[in-house]
Each structure stands twice: as C-alpha cells, then as structure tokens.
Coordinates of all heavy atoms in Angstrom, one line a residue:
L1 N -4.7 5.4 -8.1 CA -3.6 6.0 -8.8 C -3.7 7.6 -8.9 O -2.7 8.3 -8.7 CB -3.4 5.5 -10.2 CG -3.0 4.0 -10.2 CD1 -3.1 3.4 -11.6 CD2 -1.7 3.8 -9.6
C2 N -4.9 8.1 -9.0 CA -5.1 9.5 -9.0 C -4.8 10.1 -7.6 O -4.1 11.2 -7.5 CB -6.6 9.9 -9.3 SG -6.9 9.8 -11.1
K3 N -5.2 9.4 -6.6 CA -4.8 9.9 -5.2 C -3.3 9.8 -5.0 O -2.8 10.8 -4.4 CB -5.5 9.0 -4.2 CG -7.0 9.3 -4.1 CD -7.6 8.5 -2.9 CE -9.1 8.9 -2.8 NZ -9.7 8.5 -1.6
L4 N -2.7 8.8 -5.5 CA -1.2 8.7 -5.3 C -0.5 9.9 -6.0 O 0.5 10.4 -5.5 CB -0.7 7.4 -5.8 CG -1.1 6.1 -5.0 CD1 -0.7 4.9 -5.8 CD2 -0.5 6.2 -3.6
K5 N -1.0 10.2 -7.2 CA -0.4 11.4 -7.9 C -0.6 12.7 -7.1 O 0.3 13.5 -7.1 CB -1.0 11.5 -9.3 CG -0.6 10.4 -10.3 CD -1.3 10.5 -11.6 CE -1.0 9.3 -12.5 NZ -1.8 9.3 -13.7
E6 N -1.8 12.8 -6.5 CA -2.1 14.0 -5.7 C -1.1 14.1 -4.5 O -0.9 15.2 -4.0 CB -3.5 14.0 -5.2 CG -4.6 14.1 -6.3 CD -4.6 15.5 -6.9 OE1 -4.4 16.5 -6.1 OE2 -4.7 15.6 -8.1
Y7 N -0.6 13.0 -4.0 CA 0.3 13.0 -2.9 C 1.7 13.1 -3.3 O 2.7 13.0 -2.5 CB 0.1 11.7 -2.1 CG -1.1 11.7 -1.2 CD1 -2.1 10.7 -1.4 CD2 -1.4 12.7 -0.3 CE1 -3.2 10.7 -0.6 CE2 -2.6 12.7 0.5 CZ -3.5 11.6 0.3 OH -4.6 11.6 1.1
H8 N 2.0 13.4 -4.6 CA 3.3 13.7 -5.2 C 4.3 12.6 -4.9 O 5.5 12.9 -4.6 CB 3.8 15.1 -4.6 CG 2.9 16.2 -4.7 ND1 2.5 16.8 -5.9 CD2 2.1 16.8 -3.7 CE1 1.6 17.7 -5.7 NE2 1.4 17.8 -4.4
L9 N 3.9 11.4 -5.2 CA 4.8 10.3 -5.1 C 5.8 10.4 -6.3 O 5.4 10.9 -7.4 CB 4.1 8.9 -5.1 CG 3.4 8.5 -3.8 CD1 2.8 7.1 -4.0 CD2 4.3 8.6 -2.7
D10 N 7.0 9.9 -6.1 CA 8.0 9.8 -7.2 C 7.4 9.1 -8.4 O 6.7 8.1 -8.3 CB 9.2 9.0 -6.7 CG 10.2 8.9 -7.7 OD1 10.9 9.8 -8.0 OD2 10.3 7.7 -8.3
H11 N 7.7 9.7 -9.6 CA 7.2 9.2 -10.9 C 7.5 7.7 -11.1 O 6.7 6.9 -11.5 CB 7.7 10.0 -12.1 CG 7.3 9.5 -13.4 ND1 5.9 9.7 -13.8 CD2 7.9 8.9 -14.4 CE1 5.8 9.1 -15.0 NE2 7.0 8.6 -15.4
Q12 N 8.7 7.3 -10.8 CA 9.1 5.9 -10.9 C 8.3 5.0 -10.0 O 7.9 3.9 -10.3 CB 10.6 5.7 -10.7 CG 11.4 6.2 -11.9 CD 12.9 6.0 -11.6 OE1 13.4 6.2 -10.5 NE2 13.6 5.7 -12.7
L13 N 8.1 5.5 -8.8 CA 7.3 4.7 -7.8 C 5.9 4.5 -8.3 O 5.3 3.5 -8.2 CB 7.4 5.4 -6.4 CG 6.6 4.7 -5.3 CD1 7.1 3.2 -5.1 CD2 6.8 5.5 -4.0
L14 N 5.3 5.6 -8.8 CA 4.0 5.5 -9.4 C 3.9 4.5 -10.5 O 2.9 3.7 -10.6 CB 3.5 6.9 -9.9 CG 3.0 7.9 -8.8 CD1 2.8 9.2 -9.5 CD2 1.7 7.4 -8.2
H15 N 4.9 4.5 -11.3 CA 4.9 3.5 -12.4 C 5.0 2.1 -11.9 O 4.3 1.2 -12.4 CB 6.1 3.9 -13.4 CG 6.2 3.0 -14.6 ND1 5.3 3.1 -15.6 CD2 7.0 2.0 -14.9 CE1 5.6 2.2 -16.5 NE2 6.7 1.5 -16.1
W16 N 5.8 1.9 -10.9 CA 6.0 0.6 -10.3 C 4.7 0.1 -9.7 O 4.2 -1.0 -9.8 CB 7.1 0.6 -9.3 CG 7.4 -0.7 -8.7 CD1 8.2 -1.7 -9.2 CD2 7.0 -1.2 -7.4 NE1 8.3 -2.8 -8.4 CE2 7.5 -2.5 -7.3 CE3 6.1 -0.7 -6.4 CZ2 7.3 -3.3 -6.1 CZ3 5.9 -1.5 -5.3 CH2 6.4 -2.8 -5.2
I17 N 4.0 1.0 -8.9 CA 2.7 0.7 -8.3 C 1.6 0.4 -9.4 O 0.8 -0.5 -9.2 CB 2.2 1.8 -7.4 CG1 3.2 1.8 -6.1 CG2 0.8 1.6 -6.9 CD1 3.0 3.0 -5.2
T18 N 1.7 1.2 -10.5 CA 0.7 0.9 -11.6 C 0.9 -0.5 -12.1 O 0.0 -1.2 -12.4 CB 0.9 2.0 -12.7 OG1 0.7 3.3 -12.2 CG2 0.0 1.7 -13.9
D19 N 2.2 -0.9 -12.3 CA 2.5 -2.2 -12.8 C 2.1 -3.3 -11.8 O 1.6 -4.3 -12.2 CB 4.0 -2.4 -13.1 CG 4.5 -1.7 -14.3 OD1 3.6 -1.3 -15.2 OD2 5.7 -1.5 -14.5
F20 N 2.2 -3.0 -10.5 CA 1.8 -3.9 -9.5 C 0.3 -4.1 -9.5 O -0.2 -5.2 -9.3 CB 2.2 -3.4 -8.1 CG 1.8 -4.2 -6.9 CD1 2.3 -5.4 -6.7 CD2 0.8 -3.7 -6.1 CE1 1.9 -6.1 -5.5 CE2 0.4 -4.4 -5.0 CZ 0.9 -5.6 -4.7
L21 N -0.5 -3.1 -9.8 CA -2.0 -3.1 -9.7 C -2.6 -3.5 -11.0 O -3.6 -4.4 -11.0 CB -2.5 -1.8 -9.2 CG -2.3 -1.3 -7.8 CD1 -2.8 0.1 -7.6 CD2 -2.9 -2.3 -6.8
C22 N -2.2 -2.9 -12.1 CA -3.0 -3.0 -13.3 C -2.6 -4.2 -14.1 O -1.6 -4.8 -14.0 CB -2.8 -1.7 -14.1 SG -3.4 -0.2 -13.3
N23 N -3.5 -4.5 -15.0 CA -3.4 -5.7 -16.0 C -3.3 -7.0 -15.3 O -2.6 -7.9 -15.8 CB -2.2 -5.4 -16.9 CG -2.4 -4.2 -17.7 OD1 -3.4 -3.9 -18.2 ND2 -1.3 -3.4 -17.8
R24 N -3.9 -7.1 -14.1 CA -3.9 -8.4 -13.4 C -5.1 -9.2 -13.9 O -6.2 -8.6 -14.3 CB -4.0 -8.2 -11.9 CG -2.8 -7.6 -11.4 CD -2.7 -7.3 -9.8 NE -3.6 -8.2 -9.1 CZ -4.6 -7.8 -8.4 NH1 -4.9 -6.5 -8.3 NH2 -5.3 -8.6 -7.7
K25 N -5.0 -10.5 -13.9 CA -6.1 -11.4 -14.4 C -6.3 -12.5 -13.3 O -5.4 -12.8 -12.6 CB -5.7 -12.1 -15.7 CG -5.6 -11.1 -16.9 CD -5.2 -11.8 -18.1 CE -5.1 -10.8 -19.3 NZ -4.7 -11.5 -20.5
Q26 N -7.5 -13.0 -13.3 CA -7.8 -14.2 -12.5 C -8.8 -15.1 -13.1 O -9.5 -14.7 -14.0 CB -8.3 -13.7 -11.1 CG -9.7 -13.2 -11.1 CD -10.1 -12.8 -9.7 OE1 -9.3 -12.5 -8.8 NE2 -11.4 -12.9 -9.4
R27 N -8.8 -16.3 -12.6 CA -9.8 -17.3 -13.1 C -10.2 -18.1 -11.9 O -9.5 -18.1 -10.9 CB -9.3 -18.1 -14.3 CG -8.2 -19.0 -13.9 CD -7.8 -19.8 -15.2 NE -6.6 -20.7 -14.9 CZ -6.2 -21.6 -15.7 NH1 -6.8 -21.7 -16.9 NH2 -5.2 -22.3 -15.3
V28 N -11.3 -18.9 -12.0 CA -11.8 -19.7 -11.0 C -11.8 -21.2 -11.4 O -12.0 -21.5 -12.5 CB -13.2 -19.3 -10.6 CG1 -13.8 -20.1 -9.5 CG2 -13.3 -17.8 -10.3

C-alpha cells in the first residue's frame, strides 16, 4: 500500500485495493 501511494494512484482506487487486501481471514 505504501508503494501504491508513492505511484500516485487515485485515492478511491487505493481505498478499494485496501479493502480488497486487508482484513481477510482464513482457516484450515
């Protein structure tokens, strides 16, 4: 996410990618 911010991605797009990546859970 820090790298994506450095590449000046749109704020809404960064928010969407953050939602896509973060707060994911898994179990086995």
Side-chain angles (χ1 to χ4, degrees):
L1 293 171
C2 283
K3 286 186 179 194
L4 292 171
K5 288 176 188 172
E6 293 290 319
Y7 287 122
H8 309 291
L9 286 183
D10 177 76
H11 178 71
Q12 287 181 320
L13 180 58
L14 279 171
H15 183 71
W16 186 81
I17 292 172
T18 300
D19 286 346
F20 175 71
L21 291 175
C22 299
N23 300 318
R24 292 181 26 243
K25 296 179 181 179
Q26 73 178 27
R27 65 181 179 170
V28 178

